[in-house]
Amino acid sequence: MKKRLYLELENCIGCRSCLAACTQCGGHEQRNRNYVYDVNPFVNRQTMPLMCLHCVNPACARSCPAQAIQIHETGAVLSALVEKCIGCQNCTIACPYGIPKFDTEQNLMYKCDMCIDRSKDGIPPMCASVCPSNTIQWLSDEEIEAKQRQFNLNNGKWVTSMPYLEGETNVKVNLPGILQGVTKLF
Amino acid sequence: MQRDKFFKEIENVRHPNETLIKTHCAYCGMQCGMNLRVNTQTNKIVGVEPRYDWPVNVGKMCPKGVTAYQQTNHDDRILKPLIRDDASLKGTTKGFREASWDEAYDLVASKFKELQDQYGKDSLSVFSGVSMTNEKCYLTGKFARVAMQTRYIDYNGRFCMSSAAGGFLRSFGVDRGSTLPWTDIHETDCLFIAGSNTAECHPTSMFRVWHVQERGGYLIVADPRETPIARRADVHLDLRPGTDLALANGILNLLIQNGYADEEFVNDHTNGFEETKELVKEFTPEYTSELTGVSPEKIIRAAEIYGKAPNAIVMFARGIEQQHKGVDNVSAYTNMALVTGKIGRPKAGVATFTGQGNGQGGREHGQKSDLLPGYRKLTNPKHVEEVCQVWGITPEEMPQPGVSAYEMFELMEEKTIRGLYLLCSNPAVSAPNQNFVRKALKGLDFMVCSDFYLSESAEYADVILPSVTWSEDEGTVTNLEGRIIKINKAQEPIGESKPDWQIQVELAEKLGRGKYFSHLKTASDVADEFRLASKGGYADYYGATWDKIDKQDGVFWPCRDENDPGTPHMFLDKKFYHPDGKAKICALPYRPPAEEPNEEYPLRLTTGRVVFHYLSGNQTRRIQFLRDMCPEPYVEVHPETAAKYHIEHEERVRLFSRRGEAVYKVKITEAIRKDTVFVPYHFGHEQSINLLTIPALDPISRMPEFKACAAQIEKLEMKKVQ
Ligand code: SF4
Ligand code: SF4
Ligand code: SF4
């Protein structure tokens, strides 16, 4: 059963375990590829992770003059191929979320590849595996639909980016606020 | 296999030339399951892989857990015994030379003998810790009493779990940190969490906590700070540090007044209700609000939610326990469950978040000044008799009870204690009132320290013995649920380092006490003797064999024999451990913190952890990722308070109390009370917040009041004129 990365930003506790774990997938050479932001640090402790959303029609790949950014059959948008990347950094500007990172020493772009060696076999990426708060989850489409039903707001609107933020993405994101729609037990 | 809704069948990734060793994290009481990746050619640990099938954390880990493997082959490891001949260099990292084990042992044995000949057996002391296996904790207690023959042994649990222990013993007659397994948490209807920064200190509990709210259940959090868990609480009881007892009494009063008491349960299974009811009457919402600073509306709402909830769990941690009334706080919050009868069944109960990896097991088996294995008491002749039989000594040879951790430093200062064997702890960072403690350590005639890194405390040693990390030895630990689990060895000890149990067996030989230890050749030999020594005690581990632990995903104590599966839920038969089988509802008069703010010291200082570091930071400050994330301590200040002192974000200020001072960077946040400042305690030397903390001890647990003292801020920098 195909699974996707699903983010429930409200849950994030800012532990950065997703960053620490990113280096552990084997193909990532001890460099993490995602981000965690303090949303409003002077006011409260809300944080949120941001990783590549694996766009269906990725701006990064489109902007690449060397076709260095490949799209895996699972939909994962891969890190730049060493032999093709010319280091122009177009992708870092093209991505609407500022995801691709650049290694100036190697003159090479690197980004989240959804831990492709894990996810191609249905094994969750490292960030989703370790996230202690279930901010980052690895779910089937049915499970994601159930989430969508569960977090329906009283006002009839979704507090969610579903189906997508800018363009359609393979990763599904739920913005803070999901709890507003929950009916209390008593 | 216990499978709940979070359990997913996932196969682990296996990298080429690697094998996976299943084990648990090196750090906190969650004891998250993890797999260590070991290179099969070099036989070295190279990384971590989630352990998806461990029922408590189902693969999840905090950043400490993810990077824990980096400790083992770290450049800072001590590879050989170290001796320092020049005592004037104590308190620095200087002057150590490498030595052979024999030379180090001989020096320790001769110094110990010299001191004991001159000043008596009790001139030596042992200060230990509970971030190590039950086997090591057990043997350390035996080593102190049988090999060193001293009464002075105590451990860092006095700075951690001793108040929870004291409170549970008084309320239930038994001290098991949680009355239910962690897999119940997400299924309850209300979590009442007091003094626990769960999201940072026990992060892998959080997916269960959030799930309670996702189901429509309630989360109530009592904390002076709006911590990441308090951020989402249905009610955040933002109390003044050190006023928990008033809050708990106030809520209990409302529960009773509003008819939430379970009369049948109270009558049949508890004592002390009437007296307590009378005492808490005074704690009206208005009076409670006056004492705690929490609005009456919030107190009323919290009591209403807890009272109405079909099932609820009361949970707490060091926030309420590290006070000079920590034991009372524990019993007072436990009262809520006893009065409403929300205990002794699944999804309802009481739990403390155990701080250290083996904070539970390590306090049960004889490292505490007055305890023997199996939670037996040194003051009980029958208990002493039972343990003497296992140890092969006579009751006359058993030393008397000693004193608590902080009090040992007082005895060092006054030269009653002259020698120290320190292991698995770093009191030169973690003890309160550091100026005093460091002076006491420096004044010792002789100190031997066993550690795998040169900690701030090791800087005071004459001899350092290189011990191993958790991944180079095996044994059991008891997690925060009371579940006994197995730590497995993933690689051979590096350099000449040795596990502490082996060091003790070998050192006992040099001390002429070899016959009591020489049969212990492996960790499993120690385990067998330890299980036997616990047999018949409250904390009975006899039936918890390594084999059973492996088959059952851990064993909850008590587990009395081979056929006993263990006890995941406590008190299901409504039988408590006091002689009459009843629990005690405790009438506890309120006392304010030992040191209240005044004009000179107007701020309330509280201390705690950040998610990136563990305890004194001796381990985590050396891990690159964790250090990058939190390189130095800071003082958290509310913006209105900052404005009063004309201080700005990231500015350095002097923070001081009656006992000491330190300079910290300011971190401005609205997520803290205006009358309170917070500093994380993981840092050493001049950065240690324990230079300021107060050694006011709880009368029962001897826990220092780390969580509340009076302090003042002084501005250092003048604003640059543009
Ligand atoms: S691991 Fe999860 S909770 Fe922690 S920072 Fe990342 S997304 Fe947030
Ligand atoms: S989020 Fe950015 S990096 Fe990821 S696929 Fe889309 S455009 Fe590319
Ligand atoms: S430190 Fe605690 S919560 Fe974090 S991984 Fe280790 S055991 Fe789990």
Side-chain angles (χ1 to χ4, degrees):
Chain A
M1 190 183 3
K2 184 176 157 55
K3 296 211 171 181
R4 302 172 182 278
L5 209 63
Y6 162 77
L7 308 181
E8 217 162 90
L9 300 184
E10 172 78 52
N11 294 352
C12 183
I13 54 174
C15 70
R16 273 84 176 167
S17 205
C18 47
L19 301 187
C22 187
T23 63
Q24 283 297 308
C25 96
H28 284 179
E29 300 147 21
Q30 305 295 321
R31 286 183 306 200
N32 62 58
R33 289 140 196 259
N34 43 3
Y35 305 82
V36 177
Y37 294 106
D38 295 323
V39 177
N40 203 352
F42 293 121
V43 176
N44 64 29
R45 296 181 213 265
Q46 172 80 63
T47 48
M48 57 171 256
L50 188 61
M51 42 270 292
C52 173
L53 299 181
H54 296 276
C55 303
V56 171
N57 184 7
C60 57
R62 274 184 287 139
S63 80
C64 177
Q67 272 96 52
I69 304 172
Q70 308 271 307
I71 303 172
H72 190 265
E73 59 191 37
T74 57
V77 180
L78 303 180
S79 204
L81 290 167
V82 192
E83 44 309 350
K84 287 196 174 172
C85 178
I86 54 170
C88 70
Q89 301 191 47
N90 274 4
C91 54
T92 61
I93 300 159
C95 170
Y97 314 108
I99 298 296
K101 295 191 178 186
F102 195 74
D103 181 331
T104 36
E105 249 166 56
Q106 285 190 55
N107 197 35
L108 177 66
M109 171 277 246
Y110 63 101
K111 67 177 278 298
C112 161
D113 62 356
M114 194 73 98
C115 295
I116 195 66
D117 289 343
R118 307 174 74 88
S119 60
K120 71 173 168 24
D121 299 324
I123 303 171
M126 283 305 293
C127 55
S129 298
V130 302
C131 174
S133 68
N134 266 351
T135 301
I136 310 174
Q137 305 184 35
W138 181 243
L139 301 179
S140 66
D141 283 339
E142 293 73 59
E143 288 168 315
I144 291 178
E145 271 166 36
K147 289 273 184 192
Q148 207 156 359
R149 283 194 298 277
Q150 182 187 355
F151 295 131
N152 193 359
L153 276 185
N154 322 355
N155 64 9
K157 285 192 200 136
W158 302 104
V159 186
T160 164
S161 69
M162 292 173 196
Y164 45 77
L165 291 169
E166 281 225 2
E168 188 177 352
T169 58
N170 279 302
V171 176
K172 302 299 174 194
V173 185
N174 229 320
L175 299 173
I178 48 167
L179 287 175
Q180 295 169 46
V182 174
T183 322
K184 284 292 188 186
L185 288 174
F186 55 90
Chain B
M1 185 87 63
Q2 303 132 18
R3 298 183 170 188
D4 58 23
K5 73 174 304 279
F6 295 107
F7 188 94
K8 284 181 183 164
E9 196 96 43
I10 297 169
E11 217 181 300
N12 278 113
V13 171
R14 280 164 206 280
H15 300 278
N17 300 322
E18 281 181 20
T19 171
L20 297 179
I21 301 293
K22 63 178 183 180
T23 188
H24 297 269
C25 177
Y27 301 118
C28 85
M30 289 297 300
Q31 284 299 291
C32 293
M34 61 168 61
N35 287 294
L36 289 174
R37 290 163 49 195
V38 179
N39 183 301
T40 45
Q41 271 143 19
T42 59
N43 293 318
K44 295 268 189 239
I45 295 167
V46 292
V48 69
E49 167 71 20
R51 190 171 164 187
Y52 298 106
D53 62 357
W54 181 252
V56 183
N57 63 306
V58 293
K60 297 171 183 308
M61 287 177 271
C62 83
K64 299 182 289 290
V66 170
T67 54
Y69 76 91
Q70 294 171 19
Q71 291 177 80
T72 311
N73 298 302
H74 196 284
D75 288 344
D76 289 356
R77 282 289 299 273
I78 305 172
L79 301 176
K80 285 182 163 210
L82 302 174
I83 292 178
R84 174 159 58 194
D85 304 300
D86 181 355
S88 72
L89 293 171
K90 279 194 185 200
T92 73
T93 55
K94 300 192 191 88
F96 289 107
R97 63 173 169 88
E98 289 186 347
S100 70
W101 274 100
D102 261 334
E103 187 188 0
Y105 282 149
D106 286 339
L107 180 61
V108 173
S110 70
K111 286 287 182 184
F112 278 3
K113 187 168 179 318
E114 218 174 274
L115 287 173
Q116 287 188 317
D117 284 350
Q118 202 173 342
Y119 304 106
K121 295 279 186 213
D122 293 335
S123 58
L124 298 183
S125 62
V126 179
F127 192 108
S128 61
V130 286
S131 293
M132 59 183 183
T133 60
N134 285 311
E135 287 73 13
K136 287 174 185 153
C137 292
Y138 158 75
L139 200 66
T140 300
K142 176 178 173 185
F143 181 80
R145 291 167 179 124
V146 180
M148 289 171 64
Q149 305 174 70
T150 177
R151 68 193 293 182
Y152 292 120
I153 169 168
D154 210 59
Y155 76 124
N156 64 10
R158 290 284 183 187
F159 305 154
C160 188
M161 297 313 296
S162 63
S163 291
F168 286 150
L169 281 174
R170 183 167 61 185
S171 296
F172 300 141
V174 63
D175 161 33
R176 201 185 84 177
S178 176
T179 66
L180 33 67
W182 238 235
T183 43
D184 273 23
I185 289 178
H186 60 275
E187 297 191 333
T188 195
D189 307 313
C190 168
L191 290 171
F192 185 104
I193 302 184
S196 162
N197 179 3
T198 317
E200 297 204 62
C201 307
H202 300 85
T204 49
S205 298
M206 287 309 293
F207 64 100
R208 299 187 194 280
V209 172
W210 286 163
H211 192 69
V212 171
Q213 285 186 309
E214 216 179 297
R215 280 177 36 244
Y218 289 87
L219 173 64
I220 302 167
V221 175
D223 200 303
R225 300 193 299 147
E226 195 193 84
T227 57
I229 185 176
R231 172 178 69 78
R232 244 176 81 166
D234 293 276
V235 184
H236 173 205
L237 303 164
D238 47 348
L239 79 177
R240 290 189 190 105
T243 62
D244 289 272
L245 188 48
L247 182 64
N249 280 347
I251 289 178
L252 192 70
N253 179 41
L254 286 170
L255 289 173
I256 297 171
Q257 299 304 325
N258 296 333
Y260 293 116
D262 179 339
E263 278 172 31
E264 198 182 312
F265 181 89
V266 166
N267 284 335
D268 296 351
H269 306 295
T270 68
N271 292 311
F273 177 70
E274 286 305 325
E275 189 194 337
T276 308
K277 181 179 163 186
E278 275 312 304
L279 181 129
V280 299
K281 261 190 190 147
E282 178 194 2
F283 292 85
T284 60
E286 292 67 31
Y287 181 52
T288 307
S289 171
E290 220 173 89
L291 294 172
T292 61
V294 183
S295 75
E297 295 72 39
K298 284 186 182 181
I299 299 168
I300 293 167
R301 181 69 184 133
E304 184 190 358
I305 292 170
Y306 181 84
K308 275 191 186 159
N311 284 307
I313 306 175
V314 177
M315 306 177 85
F316 37 76
R318 303 311 81 69
I320 72 151
E321 297 162 17
Q322 290 178 330
Q323 296 182 23
H324 85 313
K325 52 179 177 298
V327 173
D328 285 358
N329 289 339
V330 168
S331 288
Y333 281 120
T334 301
N335 280 346
M336 290 169 55
L338 289 173
V339 164
T340 57
K342 293 190 217 289
I343 190 164
R345 59 172 192 254
K347 305 177 206 176
V350 179
T352 180
F353 289 92
T354 301
Q356 295 185 68
N358 197 22
Q360 176 76 50
R363 70 179 181 261
E364 301 162 354
H365 301 294
Q367 294 196 91
K368 221 172 177 174
S369 61
D370 57 346
L371 288 187
L372 289 172
Y375 233 115
R376 289 189 177 83
K377 285 209 160 78
L378 256 176
T379 44
N380 180 326
K382 187 169 159 280
H383 288 179
V384 171
E385 178 76 38
E386 286 164 357
V387 173
C388 281
Q389 282 200 354
V390 179
W391 286 357
I393 59 170
T394 64
E396 294 70 43
E397 290 173 276
M398 182 70 86
Q400 294 298 305
V403 299
S404 78
Y406 185 78
E407 291 163 301
M408 290 217 292
F409 297 111
E410 293 177 337
L411 294 185
M412 290 173 200
E413 169 71 9
E414 61 176 55
K415 299 279 177 206
T416 306
I417 292 175
R418 290 172 172 267
L420 168 65
Y421 165 34
L422 173 71
L423 70 157
C424 193
S425 193
N426 189 9
V429 176
S430 60
N433 199 13
Q434 277 294 314
N435 285 319
F436 178 84
V437 167
R438 292 175 194 177
K439 193 165 151 247
L441 288 172
K442 204 167 177 176
L444 284 165
D445 292 10
F446 181 74
M447 171 175 161
V448 49
C449 172
S450 154
D451 209 325
F452 45 86
Y453 298 134
L454 206 146
S455 69
E456 285 81 358
S457 302
E459 292 174 16
Y460 293 90
D462 299 281
V463 177
I464 299 177
L465 305 176
S467 59
V468 298
T469 63
W470 97 116
S471 57
E472 299 157 283
D473 187 24
E474 63 176 340
T476 60
V477 308
T478 310
N479 77 356
L480 80 180
E481 303 166 289
R483 188 196 303 245
I484 308 159
I485 57 176
K486 178 82 195 308
I487 301 285
N488 290 312
K489 182 171 174 175
Q491 80 166 55
E492 287 302 319
I494 68 165
E496 293 182 18
S497 62
K498 296 179 183 186
D500 284 309
W501 62 263
Q502 188 185 348
I503 294 174
Q504 289 170 2
V505 169
E506 291 172 2
L507 194 52
E509 181 72 40
K510 299 275 184 180
L511 293 168
R513 307 292 281 177
K515 68 170 172 170
Y516 302 101
F517 293 85
S518 57
H519 57 287
L520 304 170
K521 305 231 178 321
T522 63
S524 141
D525 291 344
V526 184
D528 289 341
E529 184 179 299
F530 150 62
R531 283 192 299 113
L532 192 65
S534 79
K535 189 177 163 72
Y538 283 142
D540 193 331
Y541 281 47
Y542 185 67
T545 58
W546 288 3
D547 198 37
K548 194 190 283 182
I549 292 170
D550 193 44
K551 282 206 189 92
Q552 284 187 195
D553 283 338
V555 176
F556 289 80
W557 73 257
C559 178
R560 302 185 197 284
D561 58 51
E562 283 81 354
N563 302 321
D564 182 349
T567 317
H569 291 88
M570 296 289 277
F571 320 131
L572 286 180
D573 52 2
K574 309 278 191 283
K575 287 255 175 322
F576 296 91
Y577 281 53
H578 286 303
D580 62 359
K582 292 185 173 184
K584 187 156 171 45
I585 295 171
C586 303
L588 303 160
Y590 177 67
R591 292 175 282 147
E595 191 177 63
E596 286 274 62
N598 62 6
E599 233 170 77
E600 222 182 319
Y601 298 97
L603 297 166
R604 288 169 196 263
L605 167 65
T606 191
T607 67
R609 287 197 200 175
V610 299
V611 67
F612 306 109
H613 292 293
Y614 177 65
L615 305 186
S616 77
N618 184 34
Q619 290 155 283
T620 50
R621 277 184 274 123
R622 296 172 203 268
I623 306 285
Q624 185 75 45
F625 178 82
L626 302 175
R627 195 174 53 226
D628 287 351
M629 291 295 136
C630 182
E632 59 172 345
Y634 49 82
V635 55
E636 250 178 45
V637 186
H638 190 276
E640 280 183 31
T641 314
K644 264 199 230 155
Y645 288 92
H646 307 288
I647 56 177
E648 285 176 12
H649 189 62
E650 306 237 302
E651 172 174 343
R652 287 183 186 276
V653 296
R654 176 172 167 258
L655 184 69
F656 59 103
S657 75
R658 289 183 177 84
R659 293 154 296 279
E661 61 171 62
V663 172
Y664 295 110
K665 228 187 214 176
V666 173
K667 188 170 170 181
I668 291 195
T669 175
E670 285 175 30
I672 188 167
R673 288 180 60 89
K674 291 170 197 162
D675 55 7
T676 302
V677 293
F678 166 86
V679 181
Y681 65 65
H682 312 284
F683 299 85
H685 299 131
E686 73 288 346
Q687 291 183 321
S688 174
I689 189 58
N690 281 322
L691 290 160
L692 282 72
T693 51
I694 187 168
L697 306 185
D698 181 285
I700 297 172
S701 68
R702 316 307 283 160
M703 167 74 82
E705 188 150 65
F706 291 104
K707 284 295 184 275
C709 73
Q712 174 64 310
I713 287 178
E714 186 185 66
K715 190 176 169 71
L716 288 178
E717 301 159 16
M718 293 314 288
K719 207 169 190 171
K720 286 187 203 92
V721 185
Q722 298 293 323

